[in-house]
Amino acid sequence: MNNLLQLKGTFEQASRNTTPGAPNLPSGKSVKVSQLEKLRKDLIELKRFWSKESIFEGALISAYYHKVAAKSNRIQGLLTKSGVTANSSIVGARFTDDQSPKHIITHYVSMEIIDESIVRLNLCIDLLNKKFDGAISHDTIKKINLKQLPFASSQIAKTNFLKVIVDAFYVEKFDVLVDAVDFKDESIITIYKTGVKATKLMEKIGIKLQFARVLDDTTILLRPDELLLLKQKAPYLISMAVIDITKLTKVDFDFCDDNVITIPSPKNEPTIGVIDTMFDGNVYFSEWVEFRNMLPEDIPVSQNDYNHGTAVASIIVDGPASNPHIDDGCGRFKVRHFGVAAGNQFSSFTILRNINEIISSNKDIKVWNLSLGSKLEINQNFISPEAAILDRIQYENDVIFVIAGTNKDSTDSPQKFIGSPADSINSLVVNSVGFDNNPASYTRKGPVLSFFTKPDISYYGGEGKNLIRVCTPTGEALVRGTSFAAPWISRKMSYLIDILGLSREVAKALIINAASGWDKQVVDATLIGHGIVPIKIDDVVRCPDDEIQFVLSGVSEKYDTYNYNIPVPVNKEKHPFIAKATLCYFPCCSRNQGVDYTNTELDIQFGRIKDNGIKPIDNNYQSAETGSHTWEKDARKYFRKWDNVKHIRETSSKGNRAKKCYGKGIWGISLKTKERLDEKFGVGINFGIVVALKEIDGVNRIDDFVRNCSLRGWLVNKIDVENLIDIYNIAEEEIDFND
């Protein structure tokens, strides 16, 4: 087995040296004056509507596009004025329910901006009729941009005219978006950002909110009668709504005879955080668990409320003792356990208020296990409040959540979507498989927001007669569920981060890389994610002799973060390898942006260096400056645009051939940073990359690779597990200076 290599070197940074091209329509397309007249009529009617509303100043206007719109295709000439971009006024985005989804993007704008847009449409309509016979095409605009056709108007600038024309091509209509919300229980409501706090808006409607029912400026907890009043007086304010009382997904417990298990006292083992139901301090491993009850004193707790949380903690502390067939080699872990739920349901709002306090007060913990999940399916147009707060915490703090993918009952739909908080984008979401490596019967499916890959990976959570053994307050039990797959991954993540000293970005990428394998994936990725994680931690941090596996990490500071200095071994003037790479990063996310949730995109290119740049292993040219065009829908589907996990690979087959060697045989990596919003959330974002090279003839070429890297200025660190464990143990020893 070859050890994992850590390459330390310099990633160069470069700003974007190109400016956006002049506005134009797609080739062969045109815009008729009737399209502009339709949009003008929409805005006039919307101005009349909003002039009668007095709850807040300004207007909420939704633009309905005819496709999934790239940022470059979104409105730029309308709903804007000098110094204010249309992009800066976006407060929500969702997809239509059509079989082929289309964007609906909601803007909060002033009445002045509506007036300006109507004026611009009037001027453009007049110009189209007088100068272009009521229609304008791509070829005509091209001639205008090349100054082959004169454009003369003292009332509207050429650029603004062309931007309005392009807007009219992509936007079908403007309207007020009102979502159908009908909940009979308390609900967590998120309203659109209007510059006015939610409490003030509710007061104008006649709803008085106490502090305990306010999460932030836009998120509140409403009773059914209050929600009805909001729907009657201002339904257009509701951006997102979910039921507060969340029923837990079912977990099967089959109790069996007690087996006497002993455990030594804890020493310097790492601590994993657990947020779950209650923990019983009478179990054999209680010395390893520090328990904190986060429930209000008036919440009744029964004996059954201790089963789930205690069982999850037993796997993290001492899982291999009861399950030697899946001994991962990670050892034991201490647990700091926070009890936040009782019974078979919990208040999402209460947990949302608790979780910030829990994380901020326990900065020493890097890995958190969350095996609670909702029976309700996620909404495909927005992230759940629970997932959004987890994503924000992970963006702001150096932590990672490992989350169970939630379970379904035998009576549920065979294609039931996962429940919150398994829609957390930054978290590592775990589904369950049986020991035959097929999805478990209780497995629910992704994706999230119709696009993001969730679950991330799968692991063994018990199925059929092969269940997971856990410890509960009433003895040993046989269980099944994603709740009991996630803790095994938490153990591996803590091992990689706390013991081996790897960053969370690299650790997450290693887990996903190990799950992916080299063969073409045949099981539906919406059920198992990128694949099944190997049982042994050795199979995550080591690779077969015919493979080279190395990790890179860095920080994105500018548009292009790159290194063109990776010396992949050459044999007979060719590279005898197939390759794969996994990129992970933790972006800032905006829940109020709906389906356009992640604010930052890192687009990865990895491959051989040619005279004109990188030849990507996945043929990804979406960021090429010339000679390529990728539709937004295809970029998301094939190159995972806006996803914070990028896994690109070549598959192993009998037809694999050595690759042509260009120049000196150097490979490179380039990350292009793109922003969804006007703010630069991507500046300073950390990333981790795992690269694996498989020699197609079975030859071990790792020594050649290490030597070549050293000659080219790389600091090569071999991840020797035994040595790092010794270093960790020495570093964690308590020294008594009185001896």
Side-chain angles (χ1 to χ4, degrees), residues 330-616:
C330 294
R332 296 186 177 97
F333 296 85
K334 291 182 288 189
V335 165
R336 197 169 302 157
H337 190 122
F338 298 84
V340 298
N344 66 346
Q345 61 185 33
F346 61 89
S347 166
S348 298
F349 199 82
T350 300
I351 290 181
L352 291 174
R353 294 182 66 87
N354 279 337
I355 201 163
N356 269 329
E357 176 190 345
I358 291 172
I359 303 303
S360 61
S361 302
N362 296 273
K363 295 285 190 180
D364 57 315
I365 297 177
K366 301 297 184 184
V367 178
W368 291 85
N369 188 94
L370 186 51
S371 286
L372 298 177
S374 171
K375 289 189 68 174
L376 298 176
E377 294 180 287
I378 56 173
N379 190 298
Q380 289 299 323
N381 274 313
F382 57 81
I383 291 290
S384 68
E386 302 97 313
I389 199 167
L390 296 179
D391 287 335
R392 179 179 60 78
I393 288 170
Q394 289 171 100
Y395 170 71
E396 295 175 350
N397 301 273
D398 185 22
V399 300
I400 185 168
F401 285 88
V402 180
I403 297 178
T406 65
N407 311 321
K408 64 175 179 168
D409 297 333
S410 58
T411 57
D412 288 333
S413 164
Q415 297 296 318
K416 187 173 183 178
F417 282 107
I418 59 177
S420 67
D423 53 335
S424 168
I425 300 302
N426 281 332
S427 300
L428 189 59
V429 177
V430 186
N431 257 12
S432 185
V433 293
F435 287 102
D436 59 358
N437 289 341
N438 288 318
S441 58
Y442 49 83
T443 292
R444 292 161 72 174
K445 65 175 293 187
V448 168
L449 298 181
S450 307
F451 160 70
F452 290 97
T453 299
K454 293 293 170 180
D456 292 284
I457 44 89
S458 289
Y459 200 68
Y460 306 102
E463 175 71 338
K465 295 181 180 179
N466 299 308
L467 303 180
I468 302 298
R469 289 183 177 270
V470 297
C471 178
T472 73
T474 55
E476 189 178 47
L478 298 173
V479 298
R480 64 176 199 153
T482 57
S483 291
F484 310 111
W488 295 98
I489 301 301
S490 294
R491 290 168 52 85
K492 287 181 168 65
M493 286 296 293
S494 181
Y495 186 93
L496 295 172
I497 294 171
D498 296 311
I499 295 179
L500 299 190
L502 301 173
S503 70
R504 61 174 180 164
E505 291 83 7
V506 167
K508 183 178 179 181
L510 272 171
I511 291 289
I512 292 173
N513 173 77
S516 66
W518 289 102
D519 296 328
K520 184 177 180 180
Q521 185 168 320
V522 294
V523 181
D524 190 350
T526 65
L527 294 173
I528 69 166
H530 292 283
I532 304 166
V533 180
I535 292 173
K536 295 292 185 181
I537 192 66
D538 255 13
D539 294 326
V540 175
V541 297
R542 290 190 172 107
C543 58
D545 289 343
D546 62 348
E547 293 181 24
I548 301 170
Q549 185 170 276
F550 61 92
V551 300
L552 300 159
S553 57
V555 181
S556 171
E557 299 289 354
K558 297 182 179 180
Y559 171 70
D560 191 6
T561 302
Y562 64 93
N563 187 295
Y564 299 155
N565 193 32
I566 301 174
V568 174
V570 176
N571 181 50
K572 298 179 181 178
E573 299 183 350
K574 290 188 176 182
H575 299 289
F577 294 96
I578 56 173
K580 63 178 179 176
T582 305
L583 163 70
C584 290
Y585 58 101
F586 291 74
C588 180
C589 301
S590 296
R591 185 170 183 258
N592 65 355
Q593 296 291 311
V595 293
D596 298 334
Y597 180 60
T598 49
N599 294 345
T600 301
E601 152 77 356
L602 294 186
D603 174 31
I604 183 172
Q605 286 187 320
F606 169 65
R608 293 166 288 167
I609 299 294
K610 299 177 65 177
D611 292 339
N612 61 345
I614 294 176
K615 182 178 176 60

Side-chain angles (χ1 to χ4, degrees), residues 122-314:
N122 284 332
L123 293 172
C124 292
I125 289 168
D126 190 53
L127 270 173
L128 273 186
N129 283 327
K130 290 182 178 179
K131 302 290 186 180
F132 302 99
D133 295 326
I136 190 168
S137 67
H138 164 89
D139 292 341
T140 301
I141 295 177
K142 184 177 180 180
K143 290 178 181 178
I144 293 174
N145 287 325
L146 294 174
K147 299 182 179 180
Q148 296 173 354
L149 189 67
F151 177 88
S153 174
S154 59
Q155 295 180 301
I156 186 169
K158 178 180 73 173
T159 299
N160 287 339
F161 169 74
L162 295 179
K163 284 180 177 179
V164 171
I165 296 298
V166 173
D167 290 351
F169 174 78
Y170 288 110
V171 177
E172 293 180 341
K173 67 174 182 177
F174 292 117
D175 205 346
V176 176
L177 178 65
V178 177
D179 200 1
V181 178
D182 187 19
F183 295 146
K184 294 180 175 60
D185 297 308
E186 285 193 339
S187 306
I188 301 174
I189 304 297
T190 300
I191 64 172
Y192 287 112
K193 283 187 176 181
T194 61
V196 182
K197 291 183 178 180
T199 51
K200 295 292 184 182
L201 290 173
M202 294 304 105
E203 282 180 12
K204 291 185 177 182
I205 294 171
I207 299 173
K208 280 281 189 179
L209 290 176
Q210 298 174 333
F211 169 77
R213 292 200 288 144
V214 178
L215 190 64
D216 55 38
D217 288 348
T218 61
T219 306
I220 54 180
L221 182 66
L222 295 184
R223 297 188 299 266
D225 60 315
E226 294 169 330
L227 177 58
L228 181 61
L229 184 59
L230 174 59
K231 288 172 60 180
Q232 290 172 346
K233 293 193 173 183
Y236 47 75
L237 278 176
I238 301 174
S239 172
M240 294 165 268
V242 294
I243 294 176
D244 175 47
I245 300 301
T246 302
K247 291 186 178 180
L248 296 172
T249 57
K250 182 182 177 184
V251 175
D252 293 325
F253 282 84
D254 183 11
F255 295 97
C256 48
D257 295 334
D258 291 351
N259 287 328
V260 178
I261 302 178
T262 59
I263 190 172
S265 296
K267 295 180 181 178
N268 59 351
E269 292 83 1
T271 299
I272 295 174
V274 171
I275 299 174
D276 212 287
T277 65
M278 311 303 281
F279 175 78
D280 191 308
N282 295 315
V283 292
Y284 79 95
F285 60 93
S286 60
E287 190 181 0
W288 288 70
V289 180
E290 179 185 351
F291 176 62
R292 300 179 187 178
N293 185 353
M294 303 298 290
L295 292 177
E297 293 182 359
D298 58 343
I299 298 293
V301 179
S302 69
Q303 186 59 43
N304 287 337
D305 297 329
Y306 292 84
N307 288 336
H308 188 273
T310 306
V312 167
S314 75

